[in-house]
Amino acid sequence: MSHALLLDTTRCIGCGACSAACKEQNDLPLEIEDATTAYTFTVVEKRAGVNVRRMCMHCLSPTCASVCPVGAMRKTPSGPVVYDAKKCIGCRYCIQACPFDVPKYQWDKAIPVVGKCVMCAPRLAKGLPTACASVCPTGATFFGERDELIRVARERMAAEPARYVDHIYGLDEAGGTSVLLLSGVPFSQLGLRTNLPNKPLGQLTWAVLSRVPDIVTLGGAILYGIHWITHRREYVRRVEGPRSGEVK
Amino acid sequence: MSVLSLPRPRGFKMTFWRFAFGVLFALFLYVTFMRFTRGLGATTHLSDHFPWGVWIGFDILCGVGLAAGAFTLMATVHLFNIKRFEPIVRPTLLTGYLGYVFVCIGLLYDLGQPWRIWHAMVYWNEHSVMFEVAWCVMLYTTVLTLEFSHIIFERLGMTSMTRLMHFINTPLVILGVLLSTLHQSSLGTMYLIVPEKLHPFWYTPALPLLFYISAIGAGLGMVIVESYLSGRAFGRELEMDLLEPLGRVMMVVLGIYGVLRLDLLFHAGMLGQVFKPIYESRMFLLEFVTGVVAPLAILSFPRVRASKPGLVIGGLFAVLGFILYRLNVSITGLERSSGTHYVPSWMEMTVSVGLVAIGFVLFAMAVRYLPIFPAHEHAAPARGRGRGH
């Protein structure tokens, strides 16, 4: 039961209806900026002659949720990666770590929070599709279950192999995402990273972090052992010192 | 001579350095006001493309790293029981303590909502390196405060507290070493999560290990440098027969670090790229020559190592190279992938430089009023004065 979006860049006409609907849905200032910011969660960018939508990829195992020290970012079972502004301390590790450069900060505010797409989690809870998908006139943004969307994507690619490059972006990138992209040009030309590992990035840090209890217990035992040996040696020297003097 | 300034004049005398510090402190207060009323965008050159700047790269990463001398010396003297280094422990502990205070204040400037800093204690996410870092900062600052309070209790003549501190000393030292080990390495672990962004000159799965070893090297370099500085300023310094062996240990640590670094670059296939004329390779060479090649070359001559200027210059190079390493990981190595070039704003620099200056002043005050340095003949009158107040 995981909701997802399929973004077919070959069908996008760049009308920007998705951005406008997003603004309204999230009570954001209505001016649509050139790139995503803390006040514009999605835009349509023109790259290599292609209209490509920028938005949160809603990773299956999100890097932002892994790095957030207070757990303000969270992957919900229904698909969206949501953000709890009340917990956020503003360390901006999510902005630094996100492989898709999604979370943005309110740099102009004295009391700032992060801004990012939350896949219309409140709408999804009511059984509605995302605002962007509901207004898309061409079906370039297509809402559904992730497994179903992967099947749709494969069908489209099989039906028109000349129209698409043979890759679904988001199928495996960084462990897979709930937003999937299709394209007619290589994804690197769309400003998307193509050097991402196919496993969640959080595994890289967890491999070290999960050792912390071992370091503490083993390290503590070793250090105390060293202390015991060195001080015992000194004690023995002190006690035996005069005796060896007597023997002389 | 600076030694002559020891008997403190009764009235306040304006000197060039006091004036400079006054101006800096006024700017520091202005920037503080701007930072907390206008936000990060108005005061820093940070952006969505470059969310971490010099406050993280210098204040946090270098502040923690340069404090590493404290746990190294505490372990050497109290765990390995090498007592002859005892006279170095207190000045090093002072540096470590000030380093962590510096880090905590820097963190308050950098966090978007610093008044929520306690959230890390309530909302846990044990998968986050930042969560581990937050706990290490909190706990190790507490440990340093306790270890440092020993000196204050002694100064105040509170013998019962001094005895209590003596009683809990061993567990405290072990805890300090463990927390430092975790903290130093975790700052490297933080960058493990950006393999696609950090330039391969700096990205390696061994980042935590490199951060740990380099901090020990630089921490020892700091001991040598600060001993020289306090010697110049207060006529209190450590003997060469203690600093010279410290210099040798530093050489071994830098040697291990240097070989490991080159070995990792070799296995990553990056060793051949080192002399390519690109921005990253130049910055890498600058860092590596300053922090490893230069100090090892200088200190490999026994005569130079045994001389005060030679040893101090060697230590200084190690410290500068360490700072360059941290700045390269946190800034240089991330610029290309971010598509921007980050240069800190004057306000960011004011906070960083201001914190260092405040650190110097606090160090000077602590040396003046607390039993930090061992009592030497020439320092004895000043100590007597301090007690008289």
Side-chain angles (χ1 to χ4, degrees):
Chain A
M1 269 303 284
S2 176
H3 298 299
L5 288 169
L6 177 63
L7 309 182
D8 190 336
T9 59
T10 66
R11 293 192 181 193
C12 181
I13 53 168
C15 67
C18 47
S19 296
C22 176
K23 289 273 183 182
E24 204 172 325
Q25 167 66 25
N26 292 290
D27 281 328
L28 295 167
L30 291 178
E31 185 215 349
I32 296 167
E33 289 150 294
D34 295 335
T36 56
T37 67
Y39 309 104
T40 300
F41 296 168
T42 184
V43 293
V44 181
E45 285 180 0
K46 194 101 182 167
R47 298 248 188 176
V50 176
N51 294 311
V52 53
R53 242 192 99 191
R54 279 283 127 80
M55 62 177 291
C56 176
M57 298 291 284
H58 297 280
C59 303
L60 299 182
S61 184
T63 314
C64 58
S66 154
V67 299
C68 181
V70 293
M73 296 282 186
R74 192 168 55 89
K75 176 77 175 176
T76 55
S78 64
V81 176
V82 293
Y83 166 68
D84 185 353
K86 283 197 219 66
K87 283 185 179 174
C88 179
I89 60 174
C91 73
R92 313 187 296 285
Y93 198 7
C94 53
I95 303 173
Q96 180 75 277
C98 175
F100 305 107
D101 301 322
V102 167
K104 307 286 175 183
Y105 211 52
Q106 296 177 337
W107 299 100
D108 56 329
K109 295 261 178 77
I111 303 177
V113 293
V114 168
K116 85 166 199 61
C117 156
V118 292
M119 211 202 259
C120 293
R123 281 176 63 97
L124 262 57
K126 288 185 215 152
L128 297 167
T130 62
C132 54
S134 69
V135 297
C136 183
T138 62
T141 296
F142 192 65
F143 179 80
E145 297 290 313
R146 189 170 187 266
D147 293 342
E148 176 205 328
L149 291 184
I150 292 169
R151 207 184 59 237
V152 170
R154 289 208 169 114
E155 278 168 14
R156 286 188 193 176
M157 284 157 69
E160 291 176 274
R163 189 182 169 110
Y164 298 102
V165 293
D166 189 21
H167 182 65
I168 304 172
Y169 193 90
L171 191 62
D172 298 309
E173 274 79 4
T177 60
S178 292
V179 173
L180 306 164
L181 276 92
L182 290 179
S183 171
V185 301
F187 286 98
S188 58
Q189 292 178 27
L190 300 184
L192 289 160
R193 285 205 171 83
T194 48
N195 61 345
L196 293 173
N198 282 345
K199 57 177 189 176
L201 293 171
Q203 286 182 4
L204 294 167
T205 44
W206 183 243
V208 179
L209 276 176
S210 56
R211 300 280 168 79
V212 166
D214 307 328
I215 294 171
V216 172
T217 49
L218 202 60
I222 291 172
L223 290 174
Y224 186 75
I226 290 169
H227 174 268
W228 188 63
I229 291 170
T230 57
H231 285 76
R232 169 84 186 159
R233 220 178 258 166
E234 187 194 354
Y235 172 77
V236 169
R237 215 181 300 128
R238 212 176 332 131
V239 172
E240 290 187 345
R243 202 188 296 159
S244 61
E246 281 168 16
V247 170
K248 236 179 201 174
Chain B
M1 280 298 289
S2 50
V3 180
L4 291 177
S5 66
L6 258 178
R8 207 157 37 94
R10 289 231 158 259
F12 179 79
K13 212 170 103 222
M14 184 58 89
T15 65
F16 170 74
W17 287 109
R18 282 178 180 165
F19 178 74
F21 180 75
V23 171
L24 182 60
F25 194 69
L27 284 174
F28 183 83
L29 290 179
Y30 170 74
V31 173
T32 304
F33 176 77
M34 293 296 281
R35 156 68 190 89
F36 290 105
T37 52
R38 303 283 169 83
L40 287 164
T43 44
T44 69
H45 283 171
L46 299 176
S47 66
D48 287 324
H49 301 288
F50 218 85
W52 285 356
V54 77
W55 289 346
I56 296 276
F58 181 74
D59 299 21
I60 311 285
L61 298 188
C62 296
V64 169
L66 294 176
F71 89 86
T72 311
L73 261 296
M74 288 301 263
T76 306
V77 171
H78 293 285
L79 300 181
F80 290 93
N81 207 14
I82 306 173
K83 287 229 171 65
R84 72 178 169 134
F85 288 110
E86 182 101 58
I88 304 184
V89 166
R90 287 188 171 190
T92 312
L93 189 58
L94 175 61
T95 316
Y97 189 42
L98 289 176
Y100 266 73
V101 169
F102 180 93
V103 166
C104 291
I105 299 173
L107 204 56
L108 295 181
Y109 280 79
D110 189 74
L111 285 180
Q113 298 205 40
W115 46 88
R116 287 180 174 176
I117 198 164
W118 55 273
H119 280 198
M121 297 169 78
V122 185
Y123 305 112
W124 287 33
N125 177 17
E126 70 279 3
H127 281 263
S128 165
V129 186
M130 191 65 86
F131 174 74
E132 186 198 352
V133 168
W135 275 92
C136 284
V137 171
M138 273 190 289
L139 293 176
Y140 191 53
T141 305
T142 310
V143 167
L144 280 171
T145 308
L146 285 172
E147 286 176 339
F148 192 73
S149 68
H150 193 208
I151 301 173
I152 295 174
F153 291 139
E154 189 186 306
R155 169 71 183 80
L156 298 174
M158 296 165 72
T159 42
S160 58
M161 289 306 284
T162 314
R163 232 176 290 134
L164 174 70
M165 294 310 297
H166 193 74
F167 182 69
I168 62 168
N169 189 52
T170 302
L172 212 54
V173 170
I174 291 175
L175 191 63
V177 174
L178 290 174
L179 286 170
S180 291
T181 304
L182 293 178
H183 195 196
Q184 299 292 351
S185 59
S186 65
L187 293 178
T189 315
M190 277 206 317
Y191 292 90
L192 284 184
I193 203 128
V194 286
E196 80 286 4
K197 293 182 185 176
L198 185 57
H199 194 276
F201 275 136
W202 294 282
Y203 189 87
T204 153
L207 266 171
L209 187 62
L210 287 178
F211 265 53
Y212 184 57
I213 301 175
S214 59
I216 294 175
L220 293 173
M222 250 331 248
V223 179
I224 295 168
V225 172
E226 93 208 359
S227 167
Y228 169 75
L229 286 178
S230 50
R232 264 184 65 115
F234 313 106
R236 298 176 183 191
E237 59 187 303
L238 300 158
E239 303 298 336
M240 280 304 284
D241 62 345
L242 284 180
L243 292 183
E244 195 269 343
L246 222 53
R248 273 183 281 144
V249 176
M250 187 183 85
M251 285 176 74
V252 174
V253 177
L254 290 181
I256 293 170
Y257 166 77
V259 170
L260 181 61
R261 192 74 201 282
L262 293 178
D263 185 56
L264 289 164
L265 283 177
F266 172 74
H267 286 298
M270 289 304 291
L271 207 52
Q273 311 274 312
V274 163
F275 294 106
K276 263 196 179 172
I278 55 168
Y279 173 56
E280 283 85 358
S281 67
R282 289 199 186 100
M283 291 305 285
F284 167 75
L285 282 177
L286 181 67
E287 164 210 323
F288 197 74
V289 169
T290 309
V292 180
V293 180
L296 284 179
I298 292 167
L299 298 178
S300 60
F301 297 98
R303 284 246 310 277
V304 178
R305 198 165 62 224
S307 77
K308 201 173 286 178
L311 189 63
V312 169
I313 289 170
L316 193 62
F317 267 112
V319 169
L320 292 177
F322 166 87
I323 293 172
L324 284 172
Y325 176 47
R326 293 300 192 261
L327 291 178
N328 276 344
V329 170
S330 60
I331 293 170
T332 314
L334 289 164
E335 283 185 310
R336 191 178 292 268
S337 66
S338 75
T340 53
H341 184 57
Y342 164 82
V343 178
S345 70
W346 74 265
M347 294 205 235
E348 285 174 275
M349 290 306 288
T350 301
V351 169
S352 295
V353 175
L355 282 174
V356 174
I358 292 168
F360 269 99
V361 172
L362 289 176
F363 189 92
M365 280 167 60
V367 170
R368 197 181 285 270
Y369 295 111
L370 295 170
I372 302 289
F373 280 89
H376 293 314
E377 309 78 56
H378 57 282
R383 176 77 59 80
R385 265 193 65 83
R387 288 234 169 94
H389 276 272

